[in-house]
Amino acid sequence: MLHYKQVKSVLNKHKKRDSWFLDDYSVNPYEGCSCNCLYCYIRGSKYDENMDEGLAVKANALQILEKQLAARAKKNQYGIVAIGSGTDAYIHHEQKEQQTLGMLQLMLKHRFPVFISTKCTLVTRDIELLKEIDKAAILPEDLQHTLKRGVILSVSVSTMNENISNMLEPGATSPQQRMELLKKLKQEGFLAGVNAIPVLPYISDPDPELEEIIVAAKESGADYILVGGLTLFGNGIADSKTLYYKFLERYDASLLSKYRALYGENFYTPFSYQNQLKEKAERLCRKYKIRSNIIE
Ligand code: SF4
């Protein structure tokens, strides 16, 4: 059941900028995520199999964030803030709780640029506010000449197959709806693209399936597509590796031995797999003339 909690800090400063999403900071309006993706890295003993049931609203987040942003702005420590690194900023609770909305209003007030990756269409509620942030945000000096935008919006997909998405991402909108959302965001003039993260070994990483994602991104007007592999953490009952392997049993049990060979006791795929995926993604991005990074 949704509950409310007090927190001491909201704005997390990274040791170094995220090389993919370009954020120097992150904030999470909620603890837990009702998209409930089985592969989610935040899963584990803290949450149950259904993360929606243990979801928490950070009740005092806006008061704390206001102070933290003001302090950073005063020292001219501007940087992109990722809203929702451990939750989706637009889970269905956002309709009522409006935590993300409040955070965006503070970003505008203190002129911080934002990055949002979502699987939910509620982001369209905030289009006008995001446009204001896009114009008003102050970028860190080294991004001023390359990025030139105060808002970056990604839709996140792991497959274009609706059945697989229903099994793996039960609380998210369909991949097709996410691509429609991307079209809308592009029509509204945003810098926007696709996070194909995580691509699923033997399911959405073969050439035709990965190509299907890249073609859908291109047709939806994406400025970029970021392609990344699948990490599977933990062996506890609510951990992503356990839940994902259960999904494999239901979806196609013959894949289990392939995954066991690929992951072994590890949570990551081997470097050789990661390099092959990177090369494949770059080859397909060149074929469809789409950037494999947010900035050129
Ligand atoms: S949308 Fe992101 S944060 Fe939410 S469950 Fe899925 S992977 Fe986790």
Side-chain angles (χ1 to χ4, degrees):
M1 204 179 93
L2 187 68
H3 62 283
Y4 296 81
K5 64 180 285 187
Q6 300 289 314
V7 290
K8 292 201 171 101
S9 177
V10 184
L11 187 67
N12 311 302
K13 171 88 174 81
H14 307 323
K15 284 200 182 86
K16 71 182 188 63
R17 177 176 300 153
D18 188 288
S19 57
W20 275 7
F21 310 139
L22 308 177
D23 52 305
D24 288 304
Y25 299 94
S26 61
V27 292
N28 285 301
Y30 302 97
E31 203 176 272
C33 181
S34 59
C35 288
N36 256 319
C37 307
L38 301 187
Y39 51 70
C40 182
Y41 80 100
I42 66 165
R43 282 189 172 280
S45 54
K46 192 170 165 188
Y47 304 105
D48 208 349
E49 283 186 35
N50 180 0
M51 288 198 284
D52 202 19
E53 284 173 9
L55 204 131
V57 180
K58 296 179 176 178
N60 60 338
L62 298 185
Q63 293 93 304
I64 307 249
L65 183 60
E66 166 93 75
K67 285 189 197 138
Q68 292 185 310
L69 288 177
R72 294 282 178 181
K74 202 169 165 191
K75 293 184 201 155
N76 198 26
Q77 291 173 340
Y78 287 96
I80 295 176
V81 183
I83 303 187
S85 59
T87 185
D88 193 299
Y90 290 100
I91 54 174
H92 66 94
H93 299 286
E94 171 60 19
Q95 188 85 53
K96 173 171 172 280
E97 300 296 331
Q98 304 200 339
Q99 289 278 96
T100 297
L101 177 62
M103 288 186 168
L104 286 176
Q105 285 163 342
L106 292 175
M107 298 297 160
L108 177 62
K109 179 174 171 187
H110 295 286
R111 304 185 66 188
F112 274 79
V114 301
F115 167 81
I116 298 176
S117 175
T118 188
K119 294 184 173 109
C120 305
T121 53
L122 183 57
V123 60
T124 56
R125 178 199 65 189
D126 294 339
I127 278 177
E128 294 310 316
L129 178 54
L130 287 163
K131 281 182 184 171
E132 287 186 70
I133 298 171
D134 198 24
K135 278 193 224 129
I138 299 173
L139 287 165
E141 247 172 58
D142 57 328
L143 287 180
Q144 282 174 6
H145 301 294
T146 45
L147 186 59
K148 300 178 187 161
R149 303 294 298 260
V151 171
I152 307 167
L153 299 174
S154 281
V155 298
S156 169
V157 292
S158 57
T159 171
M160 289 308 294
N161 182 309
E162 197 167 341
N163 288 337
I164 298 173
S165 172
N166 279 340
M167 293 169 90
L168 269 183
E169 303 158 337
T173 56
S174 72
Q176 289 71 20
Q177 284 172 309
R178 289 175 233 169
M179 290 298 169
E180 286 304 313
L181 169 62
L182 175 60
K183 265 187 212 162
K184 165 86 179 150
L185 296 173
K186 281 307 302 166
Q187 281 161 5
E188 295 288 347
F190 289 104
L191 171 61
V194 171
N195 291 1
I197 306 171
V199 162
L200 314 169
Y202 309 110
I203 296 174
S204 57
D205 76 347
D207 262 47
E209 283 75 16
L210 187 56
E211 195 158 354
E212 192 185 358
I213 299 177
I214 291 175
V215 168
K218 180 77 186 177
E219 287 177 356
S220 304
D223 293 305
Y224 59 84
I225 178 160
L226 310 176
V227 177
L230 174 71
T231 50
L232 293 171
F233 292 110
N235 297 309
I237 51 167
D239 286 330
S240 59
K241 198 171 194 181
T242 310
L243 296 175
Y244 190 88
Y245 279 25
K246 275 192 193 166
F247 149 76
L248 289 178
E249 270 171 34
R250 282 184 288 139
Y251 170 65
D252 179 356
S254 71
L255 291 177
L256 272 167
S257 55
K258 293 184 178 175
Y259 270 73
R260 289 199 174 110
L262 189 62
Y263 285 84
E265 296 303 310
N266 303 318
F267 302 143
Y268 296 94
T269 49
F271 282 126
S272 54
Y273 171 89
Q274 292 171 29
N275 288 337
Q276 278 170 14
L277 179 62
K278 188 168 185 281
E279 279 167 23
K280 191 190 299 187
E282 283 175 0
R283 173 170 49 78
L284 290 171
C285 284
R286 280 195 301 276
K287 178 175 171 186
Y288 289 98
K289 297 189 173 55
I290 183 167
R291 295 204 297 272
S292 55
N293 291 298
I294 292 175
I295 40 183
E296 292 177 70

